[in-house]
Amino acid sequence: MPKVQASRRGKEEPPEGWSDLEPTLQEFKQKMRDAENESAAGKRRVESTWSVMRVHHQRSRYIYDLFYKRKAISRKLYDYCVKNGHADANLIAKWRKQGFEKLCCLQCIQARDTNYGTACICRVPKAKLEEGRVVECVHCGCRGCASTD
Amino acid sequence: MAAAAGDGAEFPILCETCLGDNPYVRMTKEPMGRECKVCVRPFTVFRWLPGRGMRYKKTEICPTCAKLKNVCQTCVLDLEFGLPVQARDSALGIEGSVPQQDGNRRDYTARTAGSLDVVGGETEFSGRAQPAGRAMLERIARKGPYYRRNKPHICSFFVKGQCTRGNECPYRHEMPQGDPELAKQNIVDRYHGNNDPVAKRMLARAGKRAAPLTAPEDKSVTSLFVMGLGDAVAQDDLRDHFAAYGELKSVAIAPKGACAFVNFKTRAGAEAAAQAALGGCVVGGQALRVAWGKPRPKGPTTEVGGSGSGNGGGGGVGGVPRIPAPPGAAGAAMYPSQDPTARGAS
């Protein structure tokens, strides 16, 4: 039988450097669980998922930071993390593009989700917003993720 | 799937205020989006932002209902005057043809839905046949768009002191102002013209303003000051109209032609004419406002128009303004404008 099947059965071994990462990632995992289990008291209807989105962003940011910015982990380790759900590859792909370095979540650039086919209000730089207006976007509670902010 | 394509509305029937000040407004269209608040039939909902810092507005009643009363689809105020249905209808003497009871109304709107292609349908809403009523409405109506109406609603949590959204709260953080009696409004009542507190107040105020046709104490005043003359009204028309109440001493029309003095021989005649003209009289097709003249009955005035309250314009011979006494000389007048015998601008 091809080798693939054999490696699929058992859990793949984590690459080198994993032990340095593991405690932080465990913390993130715990945070995520807490966010999922929060009570919905005193929150708006949309607000209930904001903390989940937040942890998701933070977690992916951590891995992105280590690999692309600080270059502190290997490609193998990076791929391993992504594969095991510790980071969102699609979101990280956006962060590598110019102008999207601080993107909050993937929903906010989805034009299909808006009434007029635009991006979310949180993508508007504060300089363009005027009126001293504070926005919390409805998808993730972001207050502004333009690269200039 | 959708056998009922709904109304094929391309653009909502809206008033200037509701649409807002932005000429490039973006609007979403949602066919069969909501039920009409009046007839409960589904219709195409349009939603737009009427300007910066405003709330999103949407159409609340269907175009059929709007056409039947000639009102805006969102604010349910008259399209021409911007006034409540009750106020307009009572001023123009329009009988409501839309039945109010459930079944009758549903049947009526369903029947008329297809056949209304012109706004207003069969009823004449502009009051061309009742110039007096129309003039009254034109007086009460606002002169320009009233964008304050489009502001976000008041944050009810803030009123209780419980708004956790703070700075990013899209609702207004102010305390509710204004008469709480006026706040009890119901869209269906406003549409049919029943029990509308705003309309009632407007009509009461309009009635009061017309009332200063109370006779002045000076019994020698026998002249009426008439405003609102257009080109159509000639001296003869005025004579014919007012002679019916008493013998006329003279009729003088101001050179500008916008107002006139009608002087009666008897005080009683003047009073009779004033009483009859209370709601506004119509002479030669023009709606006129009548007020008591000031104690200098003869001669035209150089000033045009004036307020609708009891004071007419100065009745003296126009021209040279009299230099008022130095302030403090008589002791009574502190400023030239307080001097009651001063004529013209000083």
Side-chain angles (χ1 to χ4, degrees), chain B residues 39-41 99 101-111:
Chain B
C39 67
V40 203
R41 283 156 63 240
Q101 283 164 340
D102 232 7
N104 288 347
R105 190 197 62 223
R106 263 185 274 134
D107 173 67
Y108 182 84
T109 45
R111 266 189 297 120

Side-chain angles (χ1 to χ4, degrees), chain B residues 37-56:
Chain B
K37 293 257 162 43
V38 170
C39 67
V40 203
R41 283 156 63 240
F43 72 106
T44 307
V45 171
F46 293 91
R47 191 172 174 265
W48 69 98
L49 190 66
R52 273 198 156 192
M54 301 299 174
R55 67 173 191 275
Y56 272 88

Side-chain angles (χ1 to χ4, degrees), chain A residues 64-80:
Chain A
Y64 165 80
D65 218 41
L66 285 174
F67 183 62
Y68 285 105
K69 294 288 179 202
R70 301 198 278 171
K71 312 225 194 303
I73 59 178
S74 66
R75 193 36 51 230
K76 253 187 114 188
L77 184 49
Y78 172 76
D79 286 343
Y80 177 77

